[in-house]
Amino acid sequence: MDAEFGQLYGRLMQKFGEFGDRQKGTAPEVAAEKILDMMMAVSPKYRYRVGRDSATTYMQALLPLRVQEWLIQRVYR
């Protein structure tokens, strides 16, 4: 990372890393089970949600872009 990038985005990158460290992701076994279900389906769905955080992703898509950006800024402050 060069000095200018670090000066501009260093704090944001640090916050992003801290946020990621606090998150608990979906277990690989859960994702693998869903992938197996998708592969075995006679008529697979267009999209599948896996894990607890997938519901928030779906809800986020319903929000206007300005609200999404505001929420992202709130998380990374």
Side-chain angles (χ1 to χ4, degrees), residues 9-44:
Y9 300 106
R11 185 170 183 274
L12 179 63
M13 294 298 290
Q14 179 185 0
K15 289 289 188 181
F16 184 76
E18 291 169 1
F19 178 76
D21 291 343
R22 291 191 311 262
Q23 300 306 305
K24 294 182 178 165
T26 301
E29 297 81 11
V30 174
E33 185 68 35
K34 183 59 82 170
I35 291 169
L36 181 62
D37 291 345
M38 292 166 27
M39 292 172 53
M40 302 299 289
V42 175
S43 297

Side-chain angles (χ1 to χ4, degrees), residues 29-72:
E29 297 81 11
V30 174
E33 185 68 35
K34 183 59 82 170
I35 291 169
L36 181 62
D37 291 345
M38 292 166 27
M39 292 172 53
M40 302 299 289
V42 175
S43 297
K45 298 176 188 176
Y46 183 67
R47 291 190 175 146
Y48 289 83
R49 291 188 279 157
V50 179
R52 294 179 298 164
D53 58 341
S54 65
T56 58
T57 304
Y58 174 74
M59 289 185 288
Q60 182 181 353
L62 299 175
L63 296 173
L65 189 56
R66 285 188 141 189
V67 175
Q68 292 179 33
E69 291 294 325
W70 179 81
L71 288 170
I72 291 168

